[in-house]
Amino acid sequence: MPELPETETIARDLDAALRGATIDAGEIVRADVLRDTTPAALRRAIAGATIRGVHRRAKSIVIDCAPAAPDATIQHLVVTPRFTGALLLTAPRDDRYTCLRFALRDGRTLCYHDVRRLGTVAGHDMRRHAEWQGALGPEPLDPTFTVDALWGSLRGSRQAIKTVLMDQRRLAGVGNIYANEALFRAGLRPTRAARSLRRREADALLRSLREVLAASIALRGTTFRDFQDAYGARGGFAAHLAVYGRADAPCVTCGTVLRATHRLAGRQTVWCPTCQR
Ligand SMILES: [Zn+2]
């Protein structure tokens, strides 16, 4: 599932490729991926719209649009790929899974492709967009996000550390891959009670989280199974994962056999019983 580094990779590529481009028309092939809009309202909003820019928020890609129609209120398309969603500037490998197709005035096509259709494309007016933003927690790479903010969030929870890291209302953009990896790097056991963390441990956790997210962004994300960038290419970070997907393999640091459980939120948690306390 695309997390912060993967959606950041898509957003940066699309911003470079699409800023200032005009959408001639939108074709909605599978309306069940739409949220907060109707096919008719979305078509009206994007016909002739200019793309002002593309950025990431949490695990979503936000396409900012200036609609041409004076009565169109949708100004942001919020694409959340979840499992198999992809925003592609190249022809998809299998067109059967194309959900939306945007024809650009310069002849290119941007399409939203999703095999399992668990991803969503929301059309937000200004009010809905502010509401959506407000429901999400702070961004871990935002320089104004401090260790005290993270520590406060962890201490105020009765849940396990890993569960808190993945809660999008408390911290945006971190999912199962990077929660596992950051906790390994910080030497913290994922099942530990969040409220038991000391300030210096929260500090190590924030540093580890930022390091692993930045390292993955530099390699254009992790393709474990499905993730592809806007040009259909794979990310390069999977070879650098220390624990995610490595249950029963030896720890990269000490050689101890890594343990795994599905006890936390039904997702696989992997840790080293020697290095993580
Ligand atoms: Zn170890």
Side-chain angles (χ1 to χ4, degrees), residues 42-226:
L42 182 61
R43 269 195 299 269
R44 194 165 60 245
I46 61 180
T50 303
I51 296 175
R52 291 189 287 120
V54 183
H55 62 97
R56 178 196 59 77
R57 174 77 168 109
K59 299 184 225 175
S60 299
I61 299 124
V62 180
I63 304 174
D64 296 325
C65 298
D71 62 332
T73 55
I74 295 173
Q75 306 212 352
H76 311 274
L77 298 180
V78 179
V79 180
T80 310
R82 293 219 168 77
F83 294 91
T84 54
L87 269 169
L88 297 170
L89 273 170
T90 54
R93 270 167 244 156
D94 191 339
D95 205 34
R96 276 182 303 168
Y97 303 112
T98 295
C99 302
L100 306 177
R101 207 179 275 121
F102 299 143
L104 305 180
R105 190 152 293 171
D106 56 25
R108 292 179 297 168
T109 303
L110 172 68
C111 80
Y112 179 69
H113 183 266
D114 198 338
V115 176
R116 293 173 64 190
R117 294 214 304 284
L118 295 166
T120 54
V121 178
H124 286 175
D125 58 19
M126 277 165 66
R127 200 176 60 98
R128 176 69 190 114
H129 198 60
E131 195 178 85
W132 175 74
Q133 291 264 27
L136 292 166
E139 289 284 338
L141 294 179
D142 180 345
T144 67
F145 179 61
T146 62
V147 60
D148 286 311
L150 177 65
W151 193 38
S153 194
L154 291 163
R155 277 191 308 168
S157 172
R158 293 178 168 275
Q159 292 175 304
I161 318 171
K162 179 168 173 265
T163 308
V164 178
L165 286 183
M166 290 172 60
D167 181 346
Q168 299 302 297
R169 293 164 302 180
R170 291 184 182 269
L171 188 66
V174 179
N176 201 30
I177 296 178
Y178 300 100
N180 271 302
E181 293 297 312
L183 288 164
F184 174 77
R185 287 183 182 223
L188 297 169
R189 199 165 285 208
T191 49
R192 231 178 97 179
R195 62 203 302 185
S196 75
L197 247 70
R198 293 159 192 265
R199 191 180 183 282
R200 61 173 170 76
E201 292 175 316
D203 186 51
L205 180 56
L206 183 56
R207 273 188 284 114
S208 299
L209 190 57
R210 285 176 166 164
E211 272 169 25
V212 74
L213 293 171
S216 182
I217 290 170
L219 290 174
R220 303 181 58 78
T222 299
T223 300
F224 203 73
R225 202 172 298 126
D226 298 308

Side-chain angles (χ1 to χ4, degrees), residues 184 251-256 258 272-276:
F184 174 77
C251 169
V252 293
T253 306
C254 74
T256 305
L258 298 177
C272 173
T274 305
C275 296
Q276 292 174 262

